[in-house]
Amino acid sequence: MTNSILNRPADYRHVPASAWAELSTGDPVWIYDVAWGAGKGRVDDVSKHQELLWVILEPTGRKLICGTDDVEVWAA
């Protein structure tokens, strides 16, 4: 559903919150959040000890994503 309806890039892979520490600054991501919708962007910062992820969304800007939120993260 999230792929076709919300335009998730087909070649992106789902990254569960437990694996966010494997992402690097600058990695392209697609985010789906039940509260606000979907968007593409790049990783800005990753917490290595907690499930926290800062992303720069296009065009809205920097957003903090928490692993306990109802959110999906997909990476290239």
Side-chain angles (χ1 to χ4, degrees), residues 12-73:
Y12 280 35
R13 63 181 171 80
H14 181 252
V15 182
S18 60
W20 288 355
E22 299 170 11
L23 296 172
S24 298
T25 300
D27 284 351
V29 290
W30 181 87
I31 308 292
Y32 174 71
D33 187 317
V34 171
W36 55 264
K40 285 180 71 176
R42 295 205 174 268
V43 173
D44 186 42
D45 198 9
V46 182
S47 170
K48 299 299 181 190
H49 304 290
Q50 299 175 13
E51 295 168 346
L52 299 172
L53 180 66
W54 281 101
V55 295
I56 305 292
L57 293 173
E58 302 161 0
T60 58
R62 195 168 192 240
K63 181 160 182 68
L64 177 63
I65 309 292
C66 180
T68 58
D69 294 343
D70 196 0
V71 63
E72 295 179 17
V73 174

